[in-house]
Amino acid sequence: GVQTCALPISRKRKILNYCFNTVKHPVRYGRLYATKEGRNQIDGDFKIGEEYLKYGRLVFPQVPGRGGYTDAGSGAETWDGPMVSIVIPCYNQVHYTYACLQSILEFTKDVTYEVIIADDVSADATAELNRYVDVLIPRGGRGLIKAVVNQSTIPVIETGTGNCHIYVDETADLQMAADIVINAKTQRVGVCNACESLLVHRSIAKEFLPLLRKKLEEKQVEIRGDEDACAIEPSFVRATEEDWGREYLDYILSLKLVDSVDEAIRHINTYNTGHSETIVTSDYFNAQRFLNEVDAAAVYVNASTRFTDGEEFGFGAEIGISTQKLHARGPMGLKELTTTKYIIYGDGQIR
């Protein structure tokens, strides 16, 4: 299996000036709303809602919408309270809205519901639901996410785009590297954790590029290489500056030759979106430098970027991959859909 480790940026120090019994208690957001493009993965979206219901934390079904959006969300007024607020869209596709409610009712029995029908499901309208929504989570392409972040008056958790890189180091096992690239690029091209850009150490390029080209051609992947890569493999399409920062979501891969792990790290930190990055190497020190210096939510050694997923990490169903740093980063499970409050048990203390 894949081993994961959450590394804190800094250590926390607890200082108590009074003899309090202080507890940091998790509480869920009162109401949560999501916007999403497209009509794909409907079964997966219902699975998200069902998982949260099983844990008694959050109801989050989603249904396909009109105009390219889907949205629905809910949350209890208190952690264990009986009232659940549900914000669902009002669509002509009545059977989808009905399926949404059935998904909720199937997993909650003794719960009182407050149902709010959202007549306007445009990005502008959903960004102004302050009265009903505590957190807004856009799930979709760069355009949707940018629109929500720029327009919203509600706190937003960005489930960002993924311009994910793989760097093949000079000490890499070339067959392993080729297998990782093929999986990360072609296992599913239209997702945020798919590889979009490949960096290869110049010293292994003449041996590695022909091997990689053959495998990618079998998957009908177009390779857009820099000048040096195209000199080795003339069948490559010449890359432009725009290619280095682009999330293709297609059978296209940009490729650049680099002279060192330092150059690879600089390139990645210049063009990446803070999602998932991989180094393929046998050099421990290069691996550690890559892990420490690449700025991304998930950084891998000798593994595919396709593992950046809440279920793969053992979190259960997830709501998205956060590329921001506050308050959630990386795959978001149940914990990331809660906030905190401090509970203090006193014995007459005054300040």
Side-chain angles (χ1 to χ4, degrees), residues 4 49 58 72 144 209 236 245 300 322 325:
T4 63
L58 183 70
L144 172 67
L209 294 191
F236 290 176
Y300 295 83
S322 171
K325 297 178 181 177

Side-chain angles (χ1 to χ4, degrees), residues 158-235:
E158 295 183 52
T159 55
T161 54
N163 182 25
C164 304
H165 297 73
I166 293 176
Y167 166 55
V168 183
D169 194 30
E170 60 184 326
T171 64
D173 179 318
L174 299 189
Q175 186 59 55
M176 175 195 291
D179 291 342
I180 289 173
V181 172
I182 293 299
N183 176 262
K185 177 69 255 185
T186 68
Q187 196 259 347
R188 191 173 174 189
V189 297
V191 290
C192 61
N193 58 13
C195 176
E196 304 288 17
S197 191
L198 177 65
L199 304 175
V200 177
H201 196 284
R202 195 177 305 275
S203 66
I204 61 171
K206 290 184 178 179
E207 181 180 359
F208 181 63
L209 294 191
L211 170 65
L212 182 68
R213 174 190 55 77
K214 182 178 180 181
K215 288 180 174 291
L216 288 175
E217 281 182 350
E218 293 175 357
K219 300 290 186 177
Q220 298 182 320
V221 176
E222 175 185 307
I223 304 174
R224 299 183 182 179
D226 65 1
E227 181 178 358
D228 295 336
C230 290
I232 296 173
E233 283 291 340
S235 63

Side-chain angles (χ1 to χ4, degrees), residues 274-275 297-298 308 313 315 318 320-324 328-333 336:
H275 197 292
T308 305
F313 280 12
F315 300 162
E318 70 164 36
I321 312 294
S322 171
T323 54
Q324 65 186 41
R329 195 181 196 194
M332 294 164 49
E336 285 69 35

Side-chain angles (χ1 to χ4, degrees), residues 88-219:
I88 62 172
C90 181
Y91 299 127
N92 287 338
Q93 298 106 316
V94 177
H95 58 288
Y96 286 128
T97 303
Y98 176 77
C100 171
L101 292 172
Q102 284 294 105
S103 178
I104 297 170
L105 296 172
E106 182 179 351
F107 287 92
T108 54
K109 304 300 182 184
D110 301 319
V111 177
T112 302
Y113 292 98
E114 171 193 11
V115 178
I116 303 167
I117 301 297
D119 295 310
D120 187 351
V121 295
S122 66
D124 291 347
T126 58
E128 296 179 0
L129 290 172
N130 302 68
R131 179 180 175 185
Y132 305 108
V133 182
D134 294 320
V135 182
L136 187 61
I137 303 178
R139 300 182 66 202
R142 184 188 300 269
L144 172 67
I145 294 169
K146 184 177 180 181
V148 171
V149 170
N150 290 342
Q151 299 171 24
S152 179
T153 58
I154 303 168
V156 177
I157 299 177
E158 295 183 52
T159 55
T161 54
N163 182 25
C164 304
H165 297 73
I166 293 176
Y167 166 55
V168 183
D169 194 30
E170 60 184 326
T171 64
D173 179 318
L174 299 189
Q175 186 59 55
M176 175 195 291
D179 291 342
I180 289 173
V181 172
I182 293 299
N183 176 262
K185 177 69 255 185
T186 68
Q187 196 259 347
R188 191 173 174 189
V189 297
V191 290
C192 61
N193 58 13
C195 176
E196 304 288 17
S197 191
L198 177 65
L199 304 175
V200 177
H201 196 284
R202 195 177 305 275
S203 66
I204 61 171
K206 290 184 178 179
E207 181 180 359
F208 181 63
L209 294 191
L211 170 65
L212 182 68
R213 174 190 55 77
K214 182 178 180 181
K215 288 180 174 291
L216 288 175
E217 281 182 350
E218 293 175 357
K219 300 290 186 177

